[in-house]
Amino acid sequence: LRAPFDVLAIVVCALAVCGWAVWGGDTAILVPPPEAVAEGFVRQVVAGRYEGARALLSAEAAAEVDRDRLEQLRRNLEAGAGVVVGVTARPDGVDQDHARATALVDGRDGLVPVWLSMSLHRGLWKIDAIKE
Amino acid sequence: VDLHHVALRSVFAFVVLLALLRASGKRTIDQGTPFDFVLALILGDMIDDLLWADVEAARFVAAAGSLTLCHAVVALLTARGGFLADVIEGRPIVLMRAGVLVKKGLVRERVSESEAQELLRVAGLERGQWHEVDTARIEESGVVSVIRRPPFRAATRADLQRPGVRR
């Protein structure tokens, strides 16, 4: 009869460790680092999963970047790169609670960069601005 | 992605999964039933997202914890046997009775005759030994269990106490 309570206790402890790490300033180990967020965002856009992409935006950015803007971004990326075969990202620098990263959209016709700037919101990197 | 970050995430995932699997019982680790196997498979897939930092660790903990909790609750309910255990884990299917393959059991488990022969060989029974079998079943875990007829099974204390048995 103990097993479910043991599992619950482990989950609570593990979540406490996650919270403690974020509270202690972790921005890249137990939370996705800026380049992972950038890559995830562009992957979602390229796949047409706009709500998933918008979840990675900061509240301010989400108010400005709507579904149509993301649809436009997807069209621009496909116009430049052709049929997309992969997305990678690299960090461009972290300055305390701000970071920049470049996502590279690899397509049959070439490589298209997307520059993203981010800031920390409650321990998670959120995208503030997108530049094609 | 920095290598030391990957290493630290791996250690975190390892500790969390080890603790969850130990808490959920030995069956999960042993993959006792198809249900246990599926849980182990899903957890194995989920760890991938954490290692490459696709999701935050808290989400991994919430997802892995919820699944393991469901498994622990279901295991508790099925441990009491009855209807729920039959629905979730199934029942043993008779593969052979009195040395003869049971067609109904083979069909139900979608096992061909040659596959049944293979399962019985793995259980240590060549075709020439089938007459020794009282009952062979495919258990819920997929393992074949064999009960031999009295003359062919290992002697028990009760056999030695039968009238006419000289010690």
Side-chain angles (χ1 to χ4, degrees):
Chain A
L1 198 68
R2 258 185 47 197
F5 296 102
D6 288 349
V7 170
L8 268 179
I10 290 161
V11 169
V12 169
C13 289
L15 288 176
V17 169
C18 296
W20 174 76
V22 171
W23 180 76
D26 169 36
T27 56
I29 301 171
L30 295 186
V31 295
E35 65 272 23
V37 176
E39 186 182 313
F41 173 76
V42 175
R43 276 184 194 279
Q44 299 274 19
V45 170
V46 166
R49 293 193 289 261
Y50 304 126
E51 285 314 306
R54 289 185 83 238
L56 297 171
L57 298 172
S58 65
E60 297 79 19
E64 290 175 19
V65 179
D66 58 6
R67 205 183 156 81
D68 294 340
R69 167 78 178 87
L70 293 175
E71 172 72 34
Q72 184 62 48
L73 174 61
R74 185 176 74 88
R75 273 197 239 112
N76 293 348
L77 293 174
E78 284 179 353
V83 177
V84 177
V85 291
V87 178
T88 54
R90 57 161 192 255
D92 290 338
V94 178
D95 177 22
Q96 292 189 339
D97 57 354
H98 285 81
R100 284 171 292 111
T102 305
L104 296 166
V105 180
D106 189 10
R108 293 220 176 120
D109 299 341
L111 211 59
V112 176
V114 181
W115 293 277
L116 300 145
S117 60
M118 286 165 247
S119 57
L120 274 177
H121 293 261
R122 283 197 256 167
L124 292 176
W125 291 109
K126 294 284 181 182
I127 295 162
D128 292 322
I130 309 155
K131 197 175 148 198
E132 296 167 57
Chain B
V1 178
D2 292 330
L3 293 179
H4 67 284
H5 288 171
V6 176
L8 286 169
R9 274 185 226 117
S10 306
V11 170
F12 177 81
F14 175 80
V15 171
V16 170
L17 278 184
L18 182 68
L20 285 174
L21 292 177
R22 293 294 295 134
S24 72
K26 290 187 172 65
R27 286 182 2 161
T28 315
I29 300 164
D30 191 38
Q31 296 166 8
T33 65
F35 187 63
D36 301 328
F37 174 71
V38 168
L39 177 77
L41 213 61
I42 294 171
L43 290 177
D45 181 54
M46 278 164 58
I47 199 173
D48 176 63
D49 293 334
L50 175 62
L51 295 194
W52 307 121
D54 288 336
V55 297
E56 54 263 40
R59 281 192 188 203
F60 167 77
V61 170
S66 305
L67 269 177
T68 316
L69 186 65
C70 287
H71 180 265
V73 170
V74 168
L76 253 181
L77 295 173
T78 54
R80 296 178 182 187
F83 173 73
L84 202 59
D86 289 348
V87 170
I88 293 170
E89 297 193 331
R91 302 176 83 165
I93 300 294
V94 176
L95 193 67
M96 174 176 277
R97 186 168 280 135
V100 179
L101 287 172
V102 178
K103 292 266 184 206
K104 200 175 158 190
L106 296 182
V107 171
R108 191 154 173 204
E109 284 294 301
R110 289 170 292 282
V111 174
S112 68
E113 271 199 43
S114 63
E115 284 170 330
Q117 286 178 25
E118 183 188 334
L119 288 170
L120 290 167
R121 271 199 304 276
V122 171
L125 277 170
E126 290 291 346
R127 182 143 201 165
Q129 295 172 290
W130 284 11
H131 65 283
E132 299 176 12
V133 176
D134 179 55
T135 317
R137 292 184 179 89
I138 301 181
E139 301 293 344
E140 292 100 323
S141 61
V143 172
V144 173
S145 67
V146 177
I147 297 170
R148 289 173 193 256
R149 293 158 77 182
F152 303 103
R153 69 171 189 228
T156 63
R157 188 178 292 271
D159 293 325
L160 295 173
Q161 286 167 347
R162 278 189 190 154
V165 175
R166 272 189 281 171
R167 298 194 187 183

